[in-house]
Amino acid sequence: MKRVILYGIVLLLCGCDLIEYHPYDVRLHGETGINAKNIARIEEICEGKDTLRFVLMGDSQRWYDETEDFVKALNKRDDVDFVIHGGDISDFGLTKEFLWVRDIMGKLKVPYVALLGNHDILGNGMDVFLKVYGKENFSFKAGNTKFVCMNTNALEFDYSHPVPDFTFMYNELQDTVGCPRTVPVMHVQPFNVEFNNNVARGFHALLLEFPGVEFCLHAHSHTLLHEELFEDGIPYIGCAAMKDKNYLLFTLTPGGYEYEVVYY
């Protein structure tokens, strides 16, 4: 009898799926390094294109059903090259939150990349993000357009971490050959309480050194926004959260850009 009980305990301990780890445990299963893999797909899909169509989606957080509906709606289209998740994948930085959204977004027919949001840094969320998605700052080229994706969640780092990272931005500025247009993307926009507003104007000025900046993108505010924060003709365009069941569809052409709000 003792042997049977002992054998049962061993089976229980060995069955990983039966064990509930701490919610902030960063032991992961399933796909990791998603951004790097999908950037390679995006660059291949968009190679040689002078017209691009991409989607900016907002904070998914706890809105899993709405995010699933987004994926189903987008999969019915055949005119989108890729998707950008603007950050706040999770609500509390819990490992399972990242994995739930990862598995939902993994059903997209087109590649996507995800930015780091301020909620994604809570708990051990930063560690999970780095494993599941990759670097906090990254860039990619789609056709002749360079997308510069930046961590701007300064408040969560107590200003002890370079957010925004000017060294990253400067290095990216040196790598714009063949890209006459740049699209800066961030989670938190300048002058929001989460942004390091001591450097807001310097941040914007450095962005404008990139070629062909016509607009900047962000999420975070959970509402649709189009604001000229620096009164220089460059709008900061923000998307709503997934709870509102809409996304922004951008079309870039050699002559300019346009976008629309798409409800699903």
Side-chain angles (χ1 to χ4, degrees):
M1 183 64 179
K2 289 182 179 180
R3 287 184 179 180
V4 172
I5 294 173
L6 181 59
Y7 182 67
I9 293 173
V10 170
L11 283 178
L12 180 62
L13 292 176
C14 291
C16 296
D17 292 337
L18 301 178
I19 299 173
E20 181 69 32
Y21 292 110
H22 189 280
Y24 289 111
D25 193 294
V26 295
R27 283 175 284 189
L28 305 175
H29 57 83
E31 188 177 13
T32 58
I34 290 172
N35 282 350
K37 295 174 187 175
N38 283 344
I39 284 172
R41 290 178 60 197
I42 291 169
E43 293 184 340
E44 180 180 2
I45 290 169
C46 298
E47 185 176 5
K49 284 191 173 184
D50 60 5
T51 297
L52 301 175
R53 298 197 91 188
F54 70 92
V55 162
L56 176 67
M57 61 177 286
D59 311 39
S60 50
Q61 291 181 302
R62 70 187 76 94
W63 299 297
Y64 305 110
D65 291 341
E66 292 82 355
T67 304
E68 284 187 343
D69 290 342
F70 163 79
V71 169
K72 291 175 183 176
L74 205 72
N75 281 344
K76 294 178 181 178
R77 306 186 66 115
D78 60 2
D79 59 346
V80 174
D81 295 308
F82 60 91
V83 172
I84 299 175
H85 189 313
D88 274 0
I89 300 159
S90 70
D91 199 12
F92 302 103
L94 301 176
T95 300
K96 277 191 173 181
E97 291 179 312
F98 285 95
L99 301 186
W100 287 333
V101 174
R102 178 201 65 185
D103 293 345
I104 293 170
M105 294 291 291
K107 296 175 184 176
L108 275 173
K109 292 180 180 178
V110 297
Y112 80 99
V113 295
L115 277 74
L116 180 71
N118 59 303
H119 282 256
D120 299 327
I121 303 162
L122 301 176
N124 291 332
M126 180 74 171
D127 294 332
V128 180
F129 179 90
L130 293 175
K131 288 185 178 181
V132 174
Y133 289 100
K135 298 177 181 179
E136 62 186 284
N137 298 292
F138 61 94
S139 70
F140 61 94
K141 296 177 181 178
N144 62 1
T145 300
K146 183 180 181 75
F147 288 77
V148 182
C149 303
M150 298 160 285
N151 173 14
T152 55
N153 310 289
L155 187 63
E156 270 64 34
F157 288 97
D158 194 27
Y159 304 100
S160 60
H161 188 74
V163 180
D165 189 336
F166 282 85
T167 299
F168 165 79
M169 294 171 67
Y170 179 78
N171 289 338
E172 291 298 316
L173 184 58
Q174 313 313 305
D175 184 29
T176 57
V177 177
C179 290
R181 170 183 275 151
T182 306
V183 177
V185 192
M186 63 207 76
H187 181 64
V188 177
Q189 73 275 33
F191 303 128
N192 186 277
V193 67
E194 300 278 345
F195 197 90
N196 181 358
N197 290 307
N198 290 318
V199 301
R201 295 189 181 279
F203 169 79
H204 183 71
L206 183 53
L207 286 182
L208 295 188
E209 291 191 28
F210 284 81
V213 175
E214 299 171 275
F215 58 92
C216 301
L217 299 179
H218 69 88
H220 181 62
S221 296
H222 292 199
T223 189
L224 299 168
L225 292 172
H226 184 116
E227 305 171 291
E228 290 187 15
L229 298 178
F230 298 90
E231 300 181 355
D232 60 357
I234 305 296
Y236 279 73
I237 303 171
C239 56
M242 284 288 94
K243 66 180 175 64
D244 290 339
K245 301 195 72 171
N246 66 69
Y247 58 85
L248 300 184
L249 176 64
F250 284 82
T251 303
L252 306 185
T253 66
Y257 77 96
E258 62 181 19
Y259 75 95
E260 61 181 298
V261 182
V262 180
Y263 291 86
Y264 60 90

